Amino acid sequence: MDFGFMWDTFLQLLSGIPLTLNLSFTSVAFGAVLAMVLALMRMSGIRALDGFARAYVFVFRGTPLLVQIFLIYYGLGQFRPTLQEWGLWVFFREPYWCAILALTLNTGAYASEIIRGGLQSVPHQQVEAAKACGMSGFLLFRRIVFPIAVRQALPAYGSEIILMVKATSLASIITMMEVTGLAAKIISQTFRAVEVFIVAGLIYLILNFAITRIIMAFEWWLSPHLRRPSTVEPRLEAAHV
Amino acid sequence: MQQLSYFELIGFGPKGWGLALLTATGMTLAVALCGFLAGSVVGTFVAWAKLSRNLAARTLGDGYTTVLRGIPDLLVIYLFYFGGSAALGAIGSLFGADGFIGVPAFVTGALAIGIVSGAYQAEVFRGAYQILNRGELEAARSVGMHRWLIFRRIIAPQVLRYAIPGLGNTWQLVLKESALISVTGLVELLRQSHIAAGSTRRPFDFYITAAVLYLVITWFSTYLFQRAETHSMRGIRRAS
Amino acid sequence: MKLFRTISLGLLASALAIGSAAAQDKTIKIATEGAYAPWNFTGAGGKLEGFEIDLAADLCARVKVKCEMVAQDWDGIIPALNAKKYDAIMAGMNITDKRLEVVAFTRPYASGMHGFATMKNSPLAKLAGTGERVNLDKDPQAAEKTIEAWKPLLKGKTVGTQGSTVNSQFLEKYLKDVVTIREYKTTEQHDLDLAAGRVDAIYAAHSSLQATLDQPEFKDMTIAGAGVSGGVLGRGVAVAVRKDDTELKGKFDAAIQSAIADGTIAKLTQKWFKVDMTPQG
């Protein structure tokens, strides 16, 4: 192992991190909105909406993301004249937006199940109590259901975010120069695959470790009721000295 | 030259890719299945390490799952593809082989999937083990069963039963993971679609076909896992 | 435990598979890309075809060894050679100094021009020198003047090329500050993106561009600007082998020499490229 080379590679790969994070967070943000809509459709009790959301989740969870990316990027390229007519081509022309679209549609499917789980875990007593106080509709959702559901869903959503960070590596296949794309480029110049991939893996590991910590801190901040009261612990050190 | 219709393109005629796509689907199933089984072996060991009272084993097990969960699967597969055979070559030359160990793409692919899915299966097995009734283990020990017998007669059958839903999810994951193996040159479903899309310049037709084939496999295996779950849970009383 | 027996049998079988693969290594494995028509590509039904498939069969017959062609992504084709996934590469690969640092090349078996292609209605179709040839080694001044003349037209455009090729190196060296370079995994992919309008032009080997032009879907594409060779574009297409594999290199060198001498290369290039691409000198 040539550590000097690995350090150089590390420094070069750092410049791919902004794009990796950009792709992850943009698609997680759009995906969350989509997931919310899908979850509400599933729970709406309207058969057509419920059926559509189910089919959507089945299709996007049942096919590899790589196939979805190829389908959106190269597949839709086959229909350029039609897309141009509809004025959508400006969007599909850019690999960045194709990657965002594929990642968003994908995470939307997974996250909608997480959100649905969270919404369903809200104790009905809480809802009833709120109703008894005269809350209803959006106010009930905003003040009671949503905060509790978010708290419940957060650990699972945290893993989903990590999965998305990992999934952005597939965007390298459609010419995006994020961390994996840069790694492939460095390999093409140096022909040293193993060292470069180890360094790239390390970068993802560090990124995901940091994100996990942030989510954990967020979880802690959201659940003050589960924290132990901060009593002053009896200090034992003094006795030892 | 006139453009072929969709059905000519994916059909079984002289210009059709039907047979190639079907063979590739078989390859996807085969590599996913072997990878899944390899993952079960890896997963069992890792779960055992994580549950162990030995600190070193536990750290190793935890490290394994942390690393595998933090690195994109694509990178793991690349690493295994390039690094794996170099390592094998080194081991081989220790034993006097002439330094050339050609590992078929299929074996590399299946092992790579095994390594990735092993991390997920370990979590599934660990969760299932923790549901086990401690009393049964103690009872087994008190009638004099030794460790291997306890594992075979008491632990394995019950853990498998509780693990079926989790394994079903992992299987779906493995199936989708197998698409990534296409980067190593194994001609499975995605790679074949890729080749066909490039050769005919009709990407949409082939990728949509691939997506449908993946969905069919997913749908059918979900059904099988549900059957297995119902079957394994017969004779278990559930509060209704 | 039936399950246990099945698993252990499976493991044993795969161990044997590895072992036997190690034992019978007398077949020479040659990697190709399978996505670079007409050099090497995958025909209907998934069969490898092309100039290099024919040539490999001919060369192997001369050397009297059994050969097997395997498809491998271009991206990792050199690292995988050094990782001993196969013994040789025949994939339209040019001899360059950079590659010579990690692998060895035989003498070239073909050579050709490289250049731009764009859509007929694009302003880039008027790039200077279409139909002409310049060589970066033999006449560097003329070549650089031609490239200089392209710059105003190319300014701000997006050009697609296959990554880790002599073509991407050419763009990096001469036009990096003028155009946005987008790197693709295969030439087929940048062809699709040119037709889809995602890039303004593509830069590739003329031989490969010509094959694309012949397809009905690409009748509106055209080769633009002078053909360039030499310099970063390499010294001809050759077989790549591992550096320590001098025996194989020697055999292939002799085989290529005799295939050039008896006109086989001329015949095969005529068949696949419609021009004689036998390397000069």
Side-chain angles (χ1 to χ4, degrees), chain C residues 247-261:
Chain C
E247 189 198 335
L248 191 63
K249 174 175 149 50
K251 281 181 183 167
F252 271 128
D253 270 333
I256 292 168
Q257 172 79 48
S258 78
I260 291 174

Side-chain angles (χ1 to χ4, degrees), chain A residues 49-70:
Chain A
L49 291 183
D50 181 37
F52 174 81
R54 267 171 204 271
Y56 179 91
V57 171
F58 175 70
V59 168
F60 280 90
R61 294 213 309 185
T63 49
L65 176 58
L66 203 51
V67 174
Q68 295 163 17
I69 290 179
F70 280 137

